[in-house]
Each structure stands twice: as structure tokens, then as C-alpha cells.
Amino acid sequence: MLKNWFDPSKKELKRAKKIADAVFLLEDEMAALSDDQLKQKTEEFKSRYQKGETLEELMVEAFAVVREASRRVTGLFPYFVQVQGAVAIYGGNIAEMRTGEGKTLTAVMPAYLHALNGEGVHIVTVNEYLAGREVEGEIGDLFRFLGLTVGLNIRELNREQKKEAYDCDILYSTNSELGFDYLRDHMVLYAKDMVAQRGLNYAIIDEVDSILIDEARTPLIISGGSKNNQNLYQAADRFAKSIRDEDYEIEIESKSIALTQSGIEKAERIFQIDNLYELKHVSLVHHINNALRANYIMSRDKEYVVNDGEVLIVDQFTGRILRGRQFSEGLHQALEAKESVQVKRETVTVATITYQNFFRMYKKLSGMTGTAKTEEEEFRDIYNMDVIEIPTNAPIIRKDEPDFIYATLKDKFKSLVDEVEERHKLGQPLLIGTIAVETSEMLSFMLKQRRINHEVLNAKNHEREAEIVAKAGLKGGVTIATNMAGRGTDIKLGEGVVELGGLAVIGSERHESRRIDNQLRGRSGRQGDPGYSRFYLSAEDELMMRFGGESFKRRIETLERINTTDEPLSSKLFSRFVTSAQKRIEGNNYDSRKTVLKYDDVLRKQREIIYQNRREVLTFESIEDQVRQTVSNALYGQATQFIHAVGKNEYKIDYDQLLAHFNGNVFHLDTIKKEDIEKLNEQEINNFIVDLGLSELDKKKEAFPPEVYNEFLKVVMLRVIDTYWMRHIDAMSELRQGVTLQAYGQQQPLTIYQKEGLRMFNEMVQNISNDVARYAIRAQIKYDQEREAVVKNTQTNQGVEDKKPKKPKVRKNKNQRNLPWR
């Protein structure tokens, strides 16, 4: 009860109600305006903002303008609850609005208001189809009617087209494309090539739980080049397939796998090594663990499918095939070895970021979804957003019936198909939700045996998704869907269906996330329509096996034996058991996302420093001061290595070593003469070498026009920073794999990663300084100097849905000449 007292929803809804009341009071005033007068309001608001009015002060009028414009352009007049949702979103929160309540239109109000400040608004969707639908459809027309520009950001655009889209007032994009653009913007060679020129100001995320929770465990990765370790994948796979049950242990709850003592001894014998867990064998252990996971935890047609000799990932939350996306850290290659298809070369990571850290960089973040309350703690802790439950426009009259539970899968599926047949005879449309592709195919086979016409919507057959969903609510329709009942598409009821009780939703098992179950239920009973939902469970379901095991199954069998009513078992006790199992998994998943974030936080700080330096090289007119400072620090530090304290204020200077280091390595041969430095003390030697370096720079500066000299310095800085940073990113990725596989002297892997990561970063910064000094002093300046990318032919780890990726247009790049020092 106490929790409800402190529920932020209540306070925010109270505030939102007052604002919505004020918006509705302006209804007649706005209706009296002509189209031109209504459009003119945008310029008026912008002018008032420039003169000092805040967006909050403009909110009521702006929302009233959007409502009236929407009525004229789309024929839809936002309800009171939609205005309340808009206020919650504008406040940097998540509006939880049920399916069919018009989230898309709700987002227009806060997006329009925020666009008045000229900094740009990003509306983030789960796929390109939805983004395109909004931009090219009525919602885009509504923004354009109000005088705002609307851009669409999709994969296949070139940089000029992307830049144009980012310059719009409103940008629709997928989450992955925004993240990759951010990474690519910090790999470009010229400031003009950065697509997000205005930075990350305000984002409204549609289906915020899918993007910030479900996808948060997979970081965005840009890779290039390749490592030469294919043979190790095949060797590890042969080993994994050769072992017996006693050689490995699976932890069912956490879905992890490890070798037992007998398995370790077998590995040491086969790979001919003394101790598998010595540090030098980290890579081998990593490959073995991946092979074990691929063979004994990952299932074909569940987590992935094999199509035309390719391993393709199935999105566990939507059931769609993610073409082009790869499991990271070598797991994808392990699956390819398992399935005996060609093992792709594992690439080198050159840029990476997690969704959590990317979206936390926005100055303001908000979102909307039908299901977020179960993850409220995570949204508050990581993103500082509250979940505000917005009331429905019409009361929900869907009947959510208690779960039925059976001892075996066979009994469960027979009863489920019996109910489908019964309701289908009456003509009531049914949506059957499954978790795995194989379950949908098995149910399809059972329905065919009973001659029930139906559609199957799963990862193997989703080109017709929009068409299938459009027909799912018609009389007599039966649709089997794998984790993809919706997300941006409403199932509208056909004629005469309301009288039959609306859409009936049948769940074939519980998902490990309560949200996904709620999404399935939410497909029915939209906007006050009637509806029905029930889940069918068995003691042999994966969720039950993970948390109940054999003892739970025996209990169900006993209850079934003493059940004399012939009614299926259904009780609050089972429901509580299922909910508690789901909560435990949600807790585990939250912990795993928090761990990903803690590791990425180490890299985040380093990334911010490097990206800031790199941005300055690109955007500053001259970087001469920065280079001179870098050269001074580097030379001073290098000279100090050869000066050793031997007593109080007494130093021994190693002249021979000093000359060997600087002559030929930093300066040209014979630049420093021994007689020049023998008479100098320790401080004078440092100054002498620094002055020598700076005078070399001065000579270059005097010999060339300022723009040529400055471009030379930029070429040096960019090349050195990029070379070391990309090596560092890959080394950090290797380090992470290493520390998670090893328990060094009882220390926490994260602690080792933090300490070792800091040491490696400091070493990298020192190396960058030394190389900048060396190249700035030694390299020759050429008039036709061009900047050049360190890694070419990069690729991302996030694929496209539904279609094979288009070949990018290759634009000839004249910037491919060698740098002067190569």
C-alpha cells in the first residue's frame, strides 16, 4: 500500500490533468482559426520562445494547436488521455498507454513543442517500416502542415542524405541507426561529414521497453579487418561434440554452461596443454565455452535459423529474423561451426557503445509503450525516467481468464487446440501466441489435421506480416504468431466480431518476461472492444522446468489424478509460482544488463575523452597550440627517462642512451651532438630537447602556407589517434573476455577490468603523444596531403529485418594516397 502513496504516476497525472483541462478550454478558439492562421502559430511560438518565453509557458497553446491541426489533417482529434500522455512524455517520463490508445499521435504534441527551440527532435522506432510509415503518412503530413520539416533516417542513405534528415525539425529513425551514426560521426575525416551536427538534444522513444530493455544487452559494434582464428572454432566444436554428459554442467536458471573436472582433463589431453586455465590459454577457453554454448544451450529454430548456408538470428522479443546481425564475441562463428556452414572471419572491433550509454547522452529523454510498469525500477535507476500509467479512453472490458496448467505438453496442446476449434466454429477470430518457431509449426500441423484454416506469422514467414495482421480480427480468422503479435500494428475487429466476444487471445506458454505476455494480451480489447485471453501451461514448459523441475511436475500429476471434475487445473497458487519465476528471470536479466553497463562505463569515460579530442581536431580552425603542447609534453617525458636521481639534487645523465633514443628515432640522425649536451644539467637538457622539437615545427611552419601546415598537423593527429584508439577498443574487448573467464586471485572480474583498462588507456595516451611528436617532427609536408581512414570496409553487428542488405553505393574516394610517413 505504501508503494502507491509514493507512485509518481499519481502526482504527474494530477499535473497532466490540469494542463489537459486548459488545452481543452482552447478548443473553440483554435477551431475558429483558418488553416493559414493555424499554420502561422508555429512562427508565432518560435518568435515568443526567442524573446524569452519557455516551452512550458507555450505548452497549453501548442498542444491545442496540434489537436486542431490533427483534426483537419488526419481526421483524428486527440482525446483527453492522449493530452495527458503528451504532458507525461514532455516531462521526460514514459507514458504507459495501452494498445490502440493512439501513442503515435500522442507523441506529436511533445515533439512539436520541443521542435520550437530549433535543436531538433528524434523520434525513435523499433524498425524502419514503422519510421517510414509515420514520415510518409498522416503523421508526417501533420508536422508538415504545421510548418515543420520531417526527416527519415534509414540504413541505405548516404552521408549527404543522412545529414539532410538530421537537419530536419523532426527526425524519425531506428535506435540502431542513431547509435551507429554517432559512432560513424566519430570516425569521419572531415567535420562536414558528421551527420548529427546539432548533437543529441531530445528523443522520444516509441516501444521504449523494447529498445531500452530488451535490446540493451547487445552493444552496437562497428568492426573491420579480420582475425585469423577460424581453425580454432572448428577444433573447439569437434571437442564440444566429443564430450559426454558428465564432462559439462548446465546451470538451468542462468542458462550457463561450464566444463566439469573430467571435461577439463579431456580438453587438456586433446589440446595437449598442462593447465587449461593458465592465462595464455584465455582465447582457447573462450572458444571452448562458445562451442559448448552453441551445442548445448542454443537451439536451431529457436534462437537462430539456418537458411542458404547462413546462420541467422531470430529476435527473441519479436520473432523476426535479423538478417546481417551477428552474435558477438565469436558466438556466431561457434554456431556456424556447429551447423557445418562456412565460418566467417571474426573481425576487429573499431567502435562500440551500449544503448544505455548512447541514450543517456541525450539532454532529455522520454518514451512511450503499452508495457513498462514491470521494469519501472530499471527505467528509474539507469535512465532517470518514471513510468506514468495513462488511463484508457474507454474502460477495458476484455476478460483475462486464469491460466490452465497440465502435467504434459501433449495434454496442454490437445486442450488448447480443442478450445481453438470450439471458438472457431462460432466464427470468433483467434490469435495464438507462441514463443518458438517450432511450437508455431507444430500447432499449425495440429490445426491442419482438424481442417482449421489459419495463418502462421513467424521468423520463417513474415514478409506478409502487415497483410496477415490486417486480417487477424476478421470473422473466422485464426492466426498463430511467434512473439510478434503487433508492435506498431493494431488488430482491428471485423464486422459482427464484437457480438462474438471480440478477438480471443490464446497463449501457448508464458514468456520469461511478463511484459511480452502483457503485449500479447493487449492485442485484444482495444478502445473499449470486448476480448478474451487465456494462457495454457504445462509442467514441461521451459519456464516451469527451469524453476519447478521434476518435483513440480509430480505435484501437477498428483492433482490431475485426484481431479474429478474433468476441468483443467487452474489456481492462484500456480499463477503466483509463474509470476515469481518471471520476476526472478527479469531480475537476472536486469543484473546482466547492469553488468554490461558497468563494463561499458569504463569505456564510456575513455571514449568521451578521445571523441572530444578528435572532434576538436576536426572542428578547430587551427590545432597548432594543441600539437605544440603535445610535442613539449612528449619530449620532456622521454628525456626524463635518461636522467636518474643518485642523491639529493644530484643526477646521473645517460648521454649515450639519450642520443641513441632521440637521433634517428625522434629527430634525424646526428641532430643532437654529444658535446652540445655534456655541459648541460638535468633541467637544461629537458629544455634543450623540447626547444629542438619546437624549432623543427617552426621550420616547417615557415616553409609552407598556414593552411597546408595546419592540414598536415590534422592529418598527423587524426591518423595517430584513430590507429591507437581502434587498437585499444579491440584490446579492451579481448580483456573483457579474458577477465570474465578467469578468477584472478579471488578478485572481481570487473575490478580487474577497471584497473587494467585504466592502465591500458594511460599507456595509449602516452603512445599517442609520442607518435604525434615523432611524426610532426620527422614527416615531410606535401601540398596534396589527404586524410585517410585507418580501417576501411567496416560493417555493423546489427542487421536488417525482412530483406537482404542492399549493396552500398561505392563512391570513389580520392583520399586514398599514402600518408607521408608510410
Side-chain angles (χ1 to χ4, degrees):
M1 188 68 199
L2 269 175
K3 191 181 171 214
N4 289 339
W5 288 2
F6 300 111
D7 187 348
S9 275
K10 291 215 163 57
K11 189 178 170 189
E12 183 63 11
L13 274 177
K14 223 176 191 177
R15 188 178 89 86
K17 185 182 180 303
K18 278 186 190 166
I19 293 168
D21 283 332
V23 170
F24 270 66
L25 285 174
L26 294 177
E27 198 173 296
D28 294 342
E29 188 185 317
M30 294 301 162
L33 298 175
S34 68
D35 278 6
D36 284 343
Q37 287 172 318
L38 196 59
K39 290 175 181 179
Q40 196 51 46
K41 281 286 182 185
T42 301
E43 287 309 313
E44 180 199 314
F45 292 149
K46 284 181 179 177
S47 166
R48 282 163 59 185
Y49 176 78
Q50 296 299 329
K51 288 174 184 164
E53 272 191 66
T54 65
L55 294 180
E56 281 79 3
E57 288 165 338
L58 294 169
M59 188 192 294
V60 171
E61 288 175 76
F63 284 10
V65 163
V66 174
R67 279 190 81 229
E68 180 57 31
S70 173
R71 189 171 66 82
R72 296 183 194 187
V73 176
T74 69
L76 301 167
F77 205 23
Y79 303 122
F80 192 84
V81 290
Q82 284 174 296
V83 179
Q84 280 185 295
V87 175
I89 291 168
Y90 176 79
N93 296 307
I94 292 166
E96 184 180 87
M97 299 173 73
R98 300 293 168 89
T99 303
E101 291 292 309
K103 292 189 283 289
T104 311
L105 186 55
T106 300
V108 174
M109 289 178 265
Y112 170 74
L113 178 58
H114 248 285
L116 300 173
N117 68 13
E119 290 179 359
V121 177
H122 296 171
I123 300 181
V124 190
T125 67
V126 284
N127 61 46
E128 290 190 350
Y129 162 73
L130 290 175
R133 188 186 72 179
E134 306 312 352
V135 172
E136 285 147 26
E138 289 182 332
I139 297 296
D141 291 342
L142 174 52
F143 280 122
R144 287 184 282 269
F145 174 86
L146 288 164
L148 298 181
T149 52
V150 189
L152 174 64
N153 180 31
I154 53 177
R155 285 173 66 110
E156 60 197 48
L157 301 183
N158 61 36
R159 296 201 80 77
E160 285 74 25
Q161 292 167 318
K162 276 179 174 286
K163 205 168 153 189
E164 208 176 298
Y166 272 90
D167 287 343
C168 289
D169 299 312
I170 309 287
L171 174 76
Y172 275 87
S173 176
T174 60
N175 47 322
S176 58
E177 210 48 29
L178 283 171
F180 283 128
D181 285 340
Y182 169 76
L183 293 176
R184 285 187 288 248
D185 270 357
H186 291 89
M187 292 167 69
V188 298
L189 300 171
Y190 294 91
K192 64 178 173 52
D193 291 333
M194 295 176 89
V195 296
Q197 298 274 344
R198 288 182 296 192
L200 306 172
N201 296 302
Y202 178 50
I204 300 173
I205 304 178
D206 191 11
E207 307 300 1
V208 68
D209 52 334
S210 174
I211 289 171
L212 294 187
I213 304 272
D214 298 341
E215 298 207 20
R217 275 182 286 182
T218 310
L220 296 163
I221 297 169
I222 293 180
S223 52
S226 58
K227 297 176 181 175
N228 199 11
N229 51 5
Q230 279 130 306
N231 293 345
L232 206 43
Y233 286 109
Q234 269 115 0
D237 185 66
R238 280 195 298 273
F239 167 72
K241 286 182 168 126
S242 73
I243 59 177
R244 299 188 172 169
D245 290 354
E246 65 269 18
D247 296 327
Y248 64 88
E249 247 172 2
I250 293 180
E251 172 54 59
I252 292 179
E253 193 171 314
S254 64
K255 282 191 171 178
S256 59
I257 185 166
L259 290 173
T260 59
Q261 192 52 42
S262 65
I264 292 168
E265 285 164 11
K266 226 173 232 184
E268 287 167 349
R269 203 165 54 248
I270 287 172
F271 292 101
Q272 298 178 335
I273 52 179
D274 295 334
N275 178 3
L276 183 62
Y277 287 97
E278 265 182 43
L279 210 61
K280 61 183 176 187
H281 301 311
V282 160
S283 181
L284 175 61
V285 173
H286 180 63
H287 280 78
I288 289 172
N289 281 6
N290 268 341
L292 292 173
R293 237 184 118 197
N295 279 283
Y296 301 109
I297 289 184
M298 309 283 280
S299 307
R300 184 170 173 163
D301 285 348
K302 189 175 177 200
E303 284 95 352
Y304 67 95
V305 295
V306 178
N307 193 347
D308 291 341
E310 258 190 300
V311 170
L312 303 170
I313 299 182
V314 174
D315 187 324
Q316 291 306 288
F317 297 95
T318 67
R320 293 181 173 91
I321 279 185
L322 300 168
R323 205 174 273 284
R325 186 181 295 193
Q326 288 200 21
F327 292 107
S328 57
E329 295 178 353
L331 179 58
H332 207 89
Q333 285 78 2
L335 287 167
E336 288 168 335
K338 168 193 174 183
E339 297 294 346
S340 303
V341 300
Q342 187 188 350
V343 177
K344 293 189 188 78
R345 288 173 86 88
E346 196 184 343
T347 49
V348 178
T349 301
V350 293
T352 178
I353 194 168
T354 57
Y355 280 125
Q356 292 109 313
N357 272 332
F358 173 68
F359 281 110
R360 292 196 308 181
M361 287 193 296
Y362 275 87
K363 289 176 193 164
K364 184 173 173 183
L365 193 61
S366 57
M368 50 191 181
T369 181
T371 44
K373 206 69 182 169
T374 55
E375 318 289 353
E376 186 168 27
E377 181 195 347
E378 184 164 352
F379 282 121
R380 196 174 294 142
D381 288 356
I382 291 179
Y383 303 103
N384 195 26
M385 291 193 285
D386 286 321
V387 177
I388 312 299
E389 287 180 279
I390 306 297
T392 52
N393 185 48
I396 294 174
I397 56 170
R398 181 184 66 235
K399 290 179 184 166
D400 292 330
E401 299 293 358
D403 301 349
F404 280 160
I405 190 153
Y406 301 83
T408 65
L409 284 168
K410 190 181 168 191
D411 291 347
K412 174 181 86 168
F413 285 122
K414 182 191 173 297
S415 298
L416 186 154
V417 174
D418 286 347
E419 178 169 2
V420 169
E421 187 172 38
E422 204 177 296
R423 289 179 181 272
H424 179 62
K425 278 177 185 164
L426 302 171
Q428 185 175 15
L430 290 116
L431 176 69
I432 307 162
T434 69
I435 287 174
V437 174
E438 56 193 335
T439 313
S440 67
E441 289 178 345
M442 184 197 66
L443 277 169
S444 173
F445 178 72
M446 291 173 79
L447 292 179
K448 276 176 191 161
Q449 286 183 314
R450 300 200 189 189
R451 292 187 162 68
I452 296 172
N453 279 338
H454 62 280
E455 289 277 14
V456 180
L457 190 51
N458 64 27
K460 290 185 173 177
N461 167 35
H462 57 114
E463 295 81 5
R464 297 174 47 240
E465 179 179 345
E467 179 197 335
I468 292 172
V469 169
K471 292 179 180 171
L474 302 180
K475 212 170 186 175
V478 178
T479 310
I480 302 172
T482 308
N483 280 357
M484 47 193 310
R487 282 295 190 204
T489 41
D490 282 340
I491 296 175
K492 295 188 170 62
L493 302 185
E495 212 174 301
V497 170
V498 168
E499 294 72 22
L500 295 170
L503 178 70
V505 170
I506 310 279
S508 69
E509 65 187 292
R510 289 287 200 159
H511 195 277
E512 59 179 44
S513 163
R514 287 172 293 167
R515 280 183 304 106
I516 308 294
D517 290 342
N518 292 340
Q519 281 163 24
L520 180 61
R521 275 211 162 109
R523 296 296 119 205
S524 170
R526 58 184 291 283
Q527 283 292 349
D529 286 336
Y532 163 90
S533 76
R534 186 183 309 272
F535 282 84
Y536 280 74
L537 317 181
S538 89
E540 292 177 346
D541 289 354
E542 192 190 338
L543 189 72
M544 302 297 153
M545 294 295 284
R546 273 169 80 177
F547 290 94
E550 283 301 314
S551 61
F552 182 74
K553 187 178 176 184
R554 282 196 296 274
R555 228 180 304 163
I556 300 293
E557 284 170 339
T558 307
L559 287 171
E560 282 189 338
R561 274 199 302 276
I562 58 173
N563 177 13
T564 53
T565 63
D566 273 349
E567 285 292 310
L569 296 177
S570 174
S571 90
K572 283 186 177 156
L573 181 72
F574 299 138
S575 299
R576 274 201 299 272
F577 174 80
V578 172
T579 305
S580 105
Q582 288 174 316
K583 280 181 177 171
R584 276 167 75 185
I585 293 177
E586 284 163 7
N588 291 346
N589 290 344
Y590 179 24
D591 289 343
S592 105
R593 286 189 294 269
K594 268 210 292 207
T595 302
V596 167
L597 188 57
K598 279 175 186 165
Y599 277 96
D600 193 57
D601 274 342
V602 176
L603 209 49
R604 174 178 61 88
K605 291 166 187 148
Q606 301 177 359
R607 184 170 44 228
E608 282 170 6
I609 293 166
I610 293 293
Y611 281 3
Q612 176 64 26
N613 287 340
R614 200 180 184 283
R615 225 176 2 252
E616 287 173 3
V617 174
L618 292 180
T619 57
F620 284 13
E621 205 156 302
S622 166
I623 58 163
E624 188 185 348
D625 291 346
Q626 286 91 327
V627 173
R628 287 179 79 88
Q629 190 60 57
T630 302
V631 169
S632 297
N633 294 346
L635 295 181
Y636 194 93
Q638 288 174 45
T640 307
Q641 295 171 53
F642 306 102
I643 300 169
H644 311 289
V646 290
K648 196 176 180 188
N649 296 328
E650 281 186 55
Y651 297 90
K652 177 180 179 290
I653 298 165
D654 194 335
Y655 294 110
D656 291 338
Q657 288 288 322
L658 186 142
L659 288 170
H661 173 79
F662 282 105
N663 281 337
N665 183 24
V666 177
F667 301 110
H668 291 289
L669 282 169
D670 301 327
T671 300
I672 306 172
K673 305 281 189 292
K674 195 168 185 180
E675 56 268 25
D676 293 340
I677 55 172
E678 275 181 327
K679 53 184 182 291
L680 303 177
N681 67 25
E682 68 285 348
Q683 189 56 53
E684 288 167 342
I685 280 185
N686 280 330
N687 294 339
F688 173 81
I689 286 172
V690 169
D691 290 344
L692 198 58
L694 295 178
S695 71
E696 288 291 326
L697 293 186
D698 292 336
K699 282 180 204 166
K700 281 189 166 69
K701 186 180 178 181
E702 283 159 20
F704 290 90
E707 65 277 9
V708 174
Y709 176 65
N710 195 47
E711 181 60 17
F712 162 74
L713 296 182
K714 287 193 173 197
V715 167
V716 168
M717 283 286 263
L718 279 178
R719 181 70 185 204
V720 173
I721 289 172
D722 287 355
T723 300
Y724 277 103
W725 174 244
M726 287 174 187
R727 273 190 216 153
H728 179 73
I729 287 276
D730 203 56
M732 290 291 282
S733 171
E734 298 270 340
L735 173 68
R736 165 124 195 236
Q737 290 171 25
V739 298
T740 48
L741 294 172
Q742 302 284 333
Y744 298 101
Q746 306 305 305
Q747 280 194 67
Q748 285 292 324
L750 180 62
T751 311
I752 303 157
Y753 183 78
Q754 287 164 332
K755 284 181 184 167
E756 187 60 12
L758 179 62
R759 185 196 65 72
M760 287 161 63
F761 181 72
N762 290 337
E763 193 178 287
M764 176 195 68
V765 169
Q766 190 57 56
N767 288 335
I768 287 174
S769 293
N770 291 341
D771 269 16
V772 166
R774 180 187 304 129
Y775 292 134
I777 290 167
R778 288 290 301 273
Q780 292 177 339
I781 299 183
K782 294 176 183 172
Y783 272 94
D784 59 351
Q785 207 128 290
E786 296 281 8
R787 305 179 196 181
E788 185 184 358
V790 170
V791 175
K792 302 176 188 73
N793 303 324
T794 54
Q795 63 204 56
T796 69
N797 69 322
Q798 302 257 340
V800 285
E801 295 164 358
D802 312 345
K803 56 185 185 277
K804 290 194 175 177
K806 293 186 178 177
K807 283 187 178 173
K809 290 175 185 166
V810 178
R811 289 187 297 144
K812 290 268 192 283
N813 185 359
K814 59 182 183 175
N815 305 354
Q816 302 299 314
R817 297 184 185 88
N818 281 345
L819 283 165
W821 59 81
R822 291 187 67 199

